[in-house]
Amino acid sequence: MNPSSIRRFIFTLITGYLAIFGVQKLPYEFENQWLVLIPVLIVVYIITVWMDGLFFKDVAVDATAEPGAKKVKKQAASKGFGR
């Protein structure tokens, strides 16, 4: 696992815990709490990924671009069989 995946995982755990804690502290009693928690956790994950990209955008770009990596252009293949 690369550092950005670990960071996103920890960030999702923290925000997910806060979301679950917040839903449980609501003054309403739900018949099935999972029907509320699942959409909340999906939204939390989407927001977490968005915020991770917002805060650590330059770190992710630097990690994917390798310095000194050269692009090699392939020569166009000649048309026809056996040429």
Side-chain angles (χ1 to χ4, degrees):
M1 289 180 71
N2 58 9
S4 63
S5 297
I6 295 169
R7 181 185 63 234
R8 187 178 293 168
F9 177 70
I10 291 171
F11 197 36
T12 305
L13 283 177
I14 292 169
T15 53
Y17 174 78
L18 292 174
I20 291 171
F21 182 75
V23 166
Q24 290 178 347
K25 290 295 180 179
L26 288 174
Y28 304 107
E29 186 149 339
F30 301 108
E31 191 173 312
N32 188 354
Q33 194 174 19
W34 284 107
L35 290 177
V36 177
L37 285 177
I38 297 298
V40 167
L41 291 176
I42 291 171
V43 170
V44 162
Y45 178 74
I46 292 169
I47 291 173
T48 301
V49 171
W50 174 71
M51 289 178 67
D52 182 57
L54 188 67
F55 292 144
F56 301 104
K57 182 191 325 184
D58 46 344
V59 173
V61 170
D62 291 341
T64 57
E66 295 178 15
K70 297 179 182 178
K71 292 185 179 179
V72 177
K73 291 185 179 181
K74 293 183 180 180
Q75 294 181 356
S78 60
K79 294 184 180 181
F81 182 73
R83 292 188 182 186

